Amino acid sequence: MKNLNYSVVGNCRTAAIISERGSVDWFCLPDFDSPSAFGKILDEEKGGSIEIIVPPDYTISQQYLAHTNVLVTTYESPQQDSFDVIDFMPRYRTGDESYYYTPAELYRMIKLTGGHPKFKVVYNPRLNYADGNIVNKYGPKFIKTCLEGNIENAIYLYSSLDFTSIMKNREIELTKNEFMLVSYNQKVIDIDMERVYLEYSRTKLYWLNWSNRSKKYSLFDDYIERSMLILKLMSYQPTGAVLAAITTSIPEVIGGVRNWDYRYCWLRDASMSIETLIQIGHSGAAKRFMKFITNILHSKSDSFQIMYGIHYERNIDEKELNHLKGFKGSRPVRIGNAAFCQKQNDVYGYLMNVIYQYYRYFSGTLDEIEDLFEVVKHIGRIVLKEWRNPDSGIWEIRNKKEHFVSSKVMCWVALDRAAKISEMLHNEHYSKRYREEAKVIKQDVLEHGWKDEIQSFSQTYSNLDLDSSLLLMEKYGFISGDDPKYKKTVDAVYSNLNYKGLMFRYNNHDDFGKPKSAFTICNFWMVRGLFVTGRQDEALEMFKRLLSYSNHVKLFSEDLDFDTKQQMGNFPQAYSHLALIDTAMLFSKEIKISKFIRP
């Protein structure tokens, strides 16, 4: 079994990670970055979960309802006793076209499909990352769970099942459709099966409509669609922030210490995600992200960070939760992320590129255009000032700054796109300044980044190591795919960083030693590198092999184990899914569907 055979349901406010057996093993309330109420994924004994326990002879399967983020787990006995657990979080428009209903709650609709199935329920909430004693208070309509001494911070369980049978793990025989609802708020309306089905129908229809508005492709459309649904789910509705992942502290390797909290908005990751959503035809998330960018700057003199909290927080202090054992015993468990104070000059290129795409494809009001151009000029000032300085690089090296080639390249991207935006707005003064400095950066990279000794661009100006991020030089237009130097770089990266069919980010030592797992996105970058340098057959073969490493519902985490090909790292990973979409589109043609609507 793959270590991360999990699914995810969510509503752009929070999300739940659900195992292939239907156990809710990670669920933070009320928001993505809130403390977990169910955290079994980080401690099997004390983390807390919601489980459906069936006899051992039952077969359990799981799939998403087609074209949605609604999850169906099917339980079936040899005697044909069967039922489905349908998991979803409400998301739909109300009467106000600009408002979405996204409550912090999870519905588990239990649908009888045959015979007389029996099961037990484990309902074990452990609030505040399982730190503190839990108190359950029974009411006539719900069970209220809070921490001892803190009765206000509570969650509520509503159910058509008998509360005593739930809490005492008694066997339940299913004779009709039932439900469970876990809510951050006490409900002010009655919750019954009629209401549950209404919420289900509205949510299903929302996702069907959203998927139907997306571009369709001739090949790999099922993988593209699942990935775009995940990217959408990870876009935080209230602010427009885009998460890097839903979880924290899933390690890159079992027993390792590279365990980080990814429930925040990295400008790099978010920009790449939004660029991908723009490509497949979705403007809403892009517009909200642009608003997020303008809102994090309180004045024209504000500095940019590489990452923010999803509520615009600048300070994301990192600490360890020593009372938790970690994923499969991998400590430490961390919340917060100290990388927020790093300097990573490449981020400006990714951000400016998505701003450029926004200017190209979307019309805005005059004040929106002007607000965003202030951001463009602000980024331009920073890059003009900082590009010559060393930084921590795309991989967030913690205790060392270098002149990373990928950072210099992305600084060129930042000024190249800033020049193009300025030209679109007929501002020759800025476009000329940006173009001139972009030429200087390009010459600097060609002079100091290319190494004759290895016949390749190198990771930094001062070493001869290889780095998968060099593959992005072509994607962002710094160099063409048929340029001999890029072709040789692809060859060198493939020869030196490909291990057992998977790609390292880099294989030189950093502040935590030598990386021990394959970084999923780097494999997709290599597929593109092979494709654009004329090795399409090799690229397609590698891409198909990568897809086979996805889990049972086509989801990817951050990393892959070189030997077992098991998924590791935080899950699901926006980086991985945006790269999957970008790569799949290399092999596939867009299908024109104006004459019909897919049901």
Side-chain angles (χ1 to χ4, degrees):
M1 176 181 124
K2 295 180 180 179
N3 280 330
L4 287 174
N5 261 12
Y6 288 95
S7 303
V8 58
V9 298
N11 62 358
C12 302
R13 180 177 179 182
T14 187
I17 302 293
I18 300 173
S19 79
E20 62 182 337
R21 296 188 63 83
S23 174
V24 179
D25 288 356
W26 181 255
F27 185 17
C28 297
L29 289 163
D31 298 306
F32 288 115
D33 60 346
S34 301
S36 63
F38 302 91
K40 183 180 179 181
I41 200 168
L42 294 180
D43 193 310
E44 293 192 7
E45 294 180 3
K46 68 172 65 171
S49 62
I50 313 171
E51 303 181 42
I52 305 294
I53 307 298
V54 294
D57 61 348
Y58 271 63
T59 299
I60 304 174
S61 60
Q62 193 173 72
Q63 63 182 350
Y64 282 103
L65 191 65
H67 319 306
T68 77
N69 278 319
V70 176
L71 184 69
V72 181
T73 307
T74 297
Y75 301 81
E76 187 172 12
S77 77
Q79 296 76 33
Q80 305 302 307
D81 300 319
S82 61
F83 65 99
D84 293 335
V85 174
I86 302 172
D87 287 298
F88 67 95
M89 292 185 182
R91 177 177 174 81
Y92 51 85
R93 279 196 178 102
T94 61
D96 182 348
E97 284 295 308
S98 64
Y99 175 75
Y100 289 86
Y101 181 62
T102 58
E105 57 193 36
L106 170 68
Y107 281 89
R108 311 205 78 187
M109 189 163 65
I110 307 170
K111 181 181 179 182
L112 176 64
T113 56
H116 304 278
K118 297 178 180 179
F119 61 90
K120 296 179 182 179
V121 175
V122 173
Y123 180 71
N124 180 30
R126 297 300 309 273
L127 306 183
N128 194 35
Y129 302 111
D131 188 13
N133 295 322
I134 291 296
V135 177
N136 292 311
K137 298 179 179 292
Y138 288 74
K141 296 182 179 181
F142 55 76
I143 297 175
K144 177 181 178 180
T145 302
C146 59
L147 285 171
E148 192 174 67
N150 186 5
I151 62 173
E152 299 304 322
N153 187 18
I155 64 172
Y156 299 84
L157 172 67
Y158 294 83
S159 182
S160 57
L161 298 170
D162 175 63
F163 286 142
T164 302
S165 296
I166 292 175
M167 300 307 291
K168 293 188 177 297
N169 307 130
R170 292 175 180 169
E171 188 172 74
I172 298 169
E173 181 176 332
L174 191 64
T175 59
K176 58 182 175 59
N177 294 344
E178 307 281 4
F179 74 88
M180 299 174 67
L181 164 63
V182 180
S183 176
Y184 183 71
N185 294 323
Q186 182 177 341
K187 304 301 292 181
V188 297
I189 57 174
D190 289 335
I191 304 298
D192 53 22
M193 278 306 305
E194 183 178 353
R195 182 70 194 187
V196 172
Y197 191 75
L198 178 62
E199 294 296 293
Y200 163 72
S201 299
R202 286 171 166 172
T203 299
K204 180 178 72 170
L205 182 60
Y206 167 81
W207 289 116
L208 288 172
N209 284 334
W210 191 88
S211 295
N212 194 66
R213 295 197 307 273
S214 307
K215 294 179 182 179
K216 309 299 182 291
Y217 294 88
S218 58
L219 297 173
F220 309 116
D221 191 58
D222 51 345
Y223 282 92
I224 292 172
E225 182 180 77
R226 180 50 49 200
S227 291
M228 73 180 186
L229 282 163
I230 291 302
L231 291 182
K232 173 61 177 176
L233 183 152
M234 295 167 65
S235 175
Y236 185 58
Q237 182 73 35
T239 65
V242 180
L243 280 76
I246 300 297
T247 60
T248 178
S249 301
I250 310 299
E252 295 181 14
V253 295
I254 298 296
V257 297
R258 298 176 192 258
N259 313 332
W260 313 112
D261 191 349
Y262 279 6
R263 298 171 298 159
Y264 305 106
C265 183
W266 272 258
L267 294 187
R268 177 197 305 111
D269 303 40
S271 297
M272 295 171 80
S273 295
I274 293 299
E275 181 184 356
T276 301
L277 286 172
I278 289 173
Q279 287 180 292
I280 58 177
H282 288 285
S283 61
K287 290 178 179 178
R288 282 190 292 275
F289 181 64
M290 291 301 113
K291 197 67 176 177
F292 179 81
I293 294 302
T294 56
N295 284 344
I296 60 179
L297 298 175
H298 300 296
S299 71
K300 294 182 182 181
S301 61
D302 267 2
S303 60
F304 270 107
Q305 296 181 178
I306 67 163
M307 58 181 289
Y308 295 84
I310 60 175
H311 304 275
Y312 311 112
E313 300 95 332
R314 286 177 166 262
N315 192 337
I316 312 173
D317 287 335
E318 184 178 298
K319 68 177 182 178
E320 297 180 4
L321 302 181
N322 295 318
H323 64 285
L324 295 176
K325 293 180 180 179
F327 181 85
K328 296 189 181 297
S330 301
R331 282 176 164 151
V333 172
R334 294 184 174 97
I335 57 172
N337 198 305
F340 78 89
C341 57
Q342 285 188 354
K343 187 70 175 177
Q344 296 174 19
N345 290 334
D346 67 313
V347 69
Y348 304 118
Y350 297 104
L351 181 55
M352 191 73 84
N353 187 64
V354 77
I355 294 174
Y356 172 60
Q357 304 301 328
Y358 186 80
Y359 270 102
R360 285 182 66 195
Y361 294 118
F362 304 119
S363 59
T365 62
L366 179 60
D367 58 333
E368 288 172 342
I369 292 171
E370 291 177 346
D371 284 346
L372 206 51
F373 191 54
E374 290 301 319
V375 175
V376 170
K377 292 188 294 181
H378 187 45
I379 296 173
R381 285 193 297 271
I382 294 172
V383 174
L384 289 169
K385 178 182 178 183
E386 297 288 344
W387 77 262
R388 296 180 185 274
N389 297 326
D391 70 336
S392 298
I394 186 174
W395 307 123
E396 301 181 355
I397 307 300
R398 289 206 164 196
N399 297 311
K400 189 178 183 181
K401 291 185 177 181
E402 296 277 3
H403 291 281
F404 287 96
V405 171
S406 63
S407 293
K408 306 296 185 188
V409 169
M410 294 313 295
C411 284
W412 173 87
V413 172
L415 294 186
D416 176 77
R417 304 310 192 265
K420 291 177 178 177
I421 292 169
S422 300
E423 289 169 3
M424 292 169 66
L425 300 178
H426 309 291
N427 196 315
E428 180 59 26
H429 169 74
Y430 283 105
S431 63
K432 181 181 178 182
R433 178 74 180 95
Y434 297 145
R435 280 197 308 270
E436 289 175 349
E437 195 68 10
K439 290 179 182 178
V440 175
I441 298 175
K442 190 165 194 172
Q443 185 57 41
D444 194 71
V445 173
L446 294 174
E447 181 178 345
H448 299 289
W450 174 263
K451 305 294 169 59
D452 287 328
E453 303 96 309
I454 59 174
Q455 284 294 290
S456 174
F457 289 98
S458 60
Q459 182 185 53
T460 73
Y461 281 4
S462 62
N463 70 17
L464 298 177
D465 295 308
L466 278 303
D467 192 306
S468 289
S469 63
L470 297 168
L471 299 169
L472 294 176
M473 300 173 81
E474 174 274 335
K475 175 178 170 59
Y476 288 97
F478 182 86
I479 196 169
S480 66
D482 58 4
D483 189 294
K485 287 187 175 181
Y486 182 71
K487 286 187 172 183
K488 290 178 180 180
T489 297
V490 171
D491 291 342
V493 171
Y494 189 79
S495 298
N496 287 271
L497 299 185
N498 187 303
Y499 177 65
K500 296 185 177 182
L502 293 172
M503 299 298 300
F504 279 106
R505 286 173 284 180
Y506 50 89
N507 59 8
N508 48 312
H509 283 72
D510 59 20
D511 32 5
F512 290 95
K514 195 173 180 178
K516 297 180 180 179
S517 61
F519 207 63
T520 305
I521 194 173
C522 296
N523 293 275
F524 291 117
W525 291 347
M526 178 51 71
V527 172
R528 181 184 179 90
L530 294 172
F531 186 92
V532 300
T533 55
R535 298 160 67 178
Q536 284 89 354
D537 289 343
E538 290 179 72
L540 181 59
E541 181 184 354
M542 184 176 183
F543 183 63
K544 288 180 177 179
R545 189 169 64 248
L546 285 171
L547 294 184
S548 74
Y549 302 148
S550 66
N551 74 6
H552 66 302
V553 287
K554 297 183 173 64
L555 299 189
F556 277 98
S557 64
E558 179 185 33
D559 303 276
L560 291 164
D561 183 273
F562 283 111
D563 293 310
T564 66
K565 310 306 190 259
Q566 291 178 338
Q567 295 195 40
M568 294 300 301
N570 282 310
F571 175 89
Q573 183 82 358
Y575 239 0
S576 301
H577 284 283
L578 67 90
L580 187 158
I581 295 171
D582 290 343
T583 309
M585 288 192 296
L586 293 173
F587 305 103
S588 189
K589 295 181 179 179
E590 183 183 342
I591 300 173
K592 303 299 182 182
I593 61 168
S594 57
K595 294 183 179 180
F596 68 90
I597 299 176
R598 185 177 63 184

